[in-house]
Amino acid sequence: VNGAIAEKDWAEAVASVQSIIRPGAEVLLACHVNPDGDALGSMLGFAQGLQQLGVTGLQCSFPGPLSVPDPLHMPGMNLLVPEEQAYTAPDLLVTFDAASTSRLGSLAQRLDSAAMSIVLDHHASNSGFGKLSLVDPDAAATALVAARLLDRLGVQYDLGIAECLYIALVTDTGSFKFDLTTPEVHELAARLVGSGISVGAISRRIFDTRPFGAVKLFGEVLGRANLDPAAAQGRGMVTAVATLDDLVKHNQPGYILEALIDSVRCTAEADVACLLKQVSEREWAVSLRSKGGADVSKVAVALGGGGHRLAAGFTGRGSADEIIEAVRAHLV
Ligand code: 5GP
Ligand code: MN
């Protein structure tokens, strides 16, 4: 399956990778800020594929502090370097799951300095950057695009590669529940499971384990959720707001809130779900979800972010009420 990507682009990507399989070549892989399972998993899985092919001078990075949430610890993390230490002019740069250069922080500078750059992504909102753009908006995860390239390179999925790609696939498909869960997704999953990964243990770690403090925290934030039946052209919007005070009170790290949107979006009376996660006094990470009536990527892009039709996000500045009102205003 090729999806939206032309065969000549695959051929160019394969040739570019093969040309850096030589001693001394510097290869930098980069994914988006605050990496999720797909960003990290597709990047680190691909990295181990390159190692299998004999690539040596290999670095992986993402902007910001080099911390990875416990549930997302996976093979290949030994390859991670802070953005400041990343090769300044690599022979090859490959980006993963980043829809725009702003998501790459200072690593975006390497798009100009790298001899070759390849963009692997699946966001319809991808702004089109990099010398070679391999973007398939119909792919459920960037991992699917990365796997197509690994297959063309003749990489065999060992345990490490398989665990990374599986984590990417299982997170971006919501455990194979979302609309883009195609036969190709299940076929890739079958191959990954076939290489011996522990599906139960991975799922428990990523989806079904959180500290008791987080259980209480979720309860408190959900207890304050608000349903606005008139919003989104009468399709309804449910909103929830998690503050820094909530995190402090329950002694939880910010990343623990990533899973909370799934408990908000199940609201039957709302097509749109909106979760505000406070980052600082007047800055919020906003998650948007739609059941199909609204295109939330349009809302997110209009407010400076990006994403997919049914799952998108942006950074909001102002009071929580102001941001909710802005989202509401863009849903008409
Ligand atoms: P989440 O709500 O899980 O953080 O993100 C959902 C989707 O929205 C992801 O596919 C992600 O790419 C996109 N997204 C979330 N936050 C931002 C943001 O601040 N900027 C951009 N460009 N996209 C975002
Ligand atoms: Mn993704």
Side-chain angles (χ1 to χ4, degrees):
V1 182
N2 300 313
I5 299 163
E7 204 51 55
K8 73 164 179 40
D9 289 342
W10 288 117
E12 188 181 351
V14 168
S16 300
V17 170
Q18 283 169 345
S19 76
I20 50 85
I21 306 176
R22 55 180 164 79
E26 293 181 345
V27 179
L28 176 62
L29 309 188
C31 70
H32 66 72
V33 66
N34 294 326
D36 57 12
D38 187 31
L40 266 182
S42 58
M43 175 173 75
L44 296 179
F46 194 82
Q48 291 167 79
L50 292 184
Q51 287 183 311
Q52 190 184 104
L53 295 171
V55 174
T56 47
L58 186 59
Q59 293 182 333
C60 297
S61 189
F62 54 83
L66 207 60
S67 73
V68 172
D70 288 343
L72 289 183
H73 280 220
M74 62 180 84
M77 285 178 49
N78 56 305
L79 293 166
L80 288 172
V81 301
E83 58 181 321
E84 307 81 47
Q85 285 170 34
Y87 297 131
T88 50
D91 296 290
L92 175 65
L93 167 69
V94 189
T95 72
F96 296 81
D97 208 39
S100 63
T101 56
S102 63
R103 302 276 284 162
L104 293 168
S106 75
L107 293 167
Q109 293 162 2
R110 276 71 169 180
L111 286 162
D112 298 320
S113 56
M116 177 62 189
S117 53
I118 303 175
V119 169
L120 300 184
D121 188 28
H122 69 132
H123 290 91
S125 68
N126 189 287
S127 59
F129 57 97
K131 294 188 174 68
L132 179 60
S133 181
L134 302 182
V135 180
D136 182 359
D138 294 323
T142 295
L144 209 59
V145 183
R148 291 174 189 158
L149 184 49
L150 289 173
D151 285 341
R152 282 172 169 81
L153 288 162
V155 168
Q156 303 298 309
Y157 299 155
D158 61 25
L159 208 54
I161 296 171
E163 177 160 342
C164 291
L165 295 182
Y166 187 83
I167 288 173
L169 209 52
V170 79
T171 50
D172 259 32
T173 60
S175 298
F176 309 102
K177 286 187 296 191
F178 298 159
D179 279 338
L180 290 175
T181 308
T182 56
E184 186 191 3
V185 167
H186 280 291
E187 280 154 17
L188 175 58
R191 291 169 60 202
L192 301 174
V193 173
S195 43
I197 56 170
S198 305
V199 171
I202 292 172
S203 304
R204 254 192 317 281
R205 189 174 83 232
I206 295 180
F207 300 111
D208 298 336
T209 305
R210 64 182 66 105
F212 186 57
V215 173
K216 305 278 280 184
L217 167 66
F218 281 25
E220 200 160 316
V221 176
L222 290 172
R224 299 193 307 253
N226 185 55
L227 178 63
D228 180 353
Q233 295 176 312
R235 294 193 184 94
M237 172 167 75
V238 57
T239 55
V241 178
T243 65
L244 288 174
D245 284 347
D246 292 322
L247 289 173
V248 169
K249 178 176 172 190
H250 296 285
N251 193 26
Q252 294 302 308
Y255 76 74
I256 212 83
L257 295 169
E258 296 301 311
L260 184 52
I261 186 66
D262 292 321
S263 303
V264 181
R265 70 179 169 84
C266 62
T267 305
E269 295 86 345
D271 179 53
V272 175
C274 172
L275 173 64
L276 271 62
K277 297 164 276 189
Q278 190 172 28
V279 177
S280 62
E281 173 80 28
R282 286 173 65 79
E283 184 179 335
W284 307 78
V286 183
S287 288
L288 298 172
R289 299 291 186 271
S290 163
K291 295 203 181 83
D295 180 347
V296 289
S297 80
K298 285 191 181 146
V299 179
V301 168
L303 295 171
H308 312 279
R309 209 168 62 79
L310 304 184
F314 67 97
T315 299
R317 290 189 176 78
S319 72
D321 286 345
E322 284 164 359
I323 290 160
I324 291 168
E325 195 40 52
V327 170
R328 206 178 185 284
H330 281 93
L331 280 168
V332 292

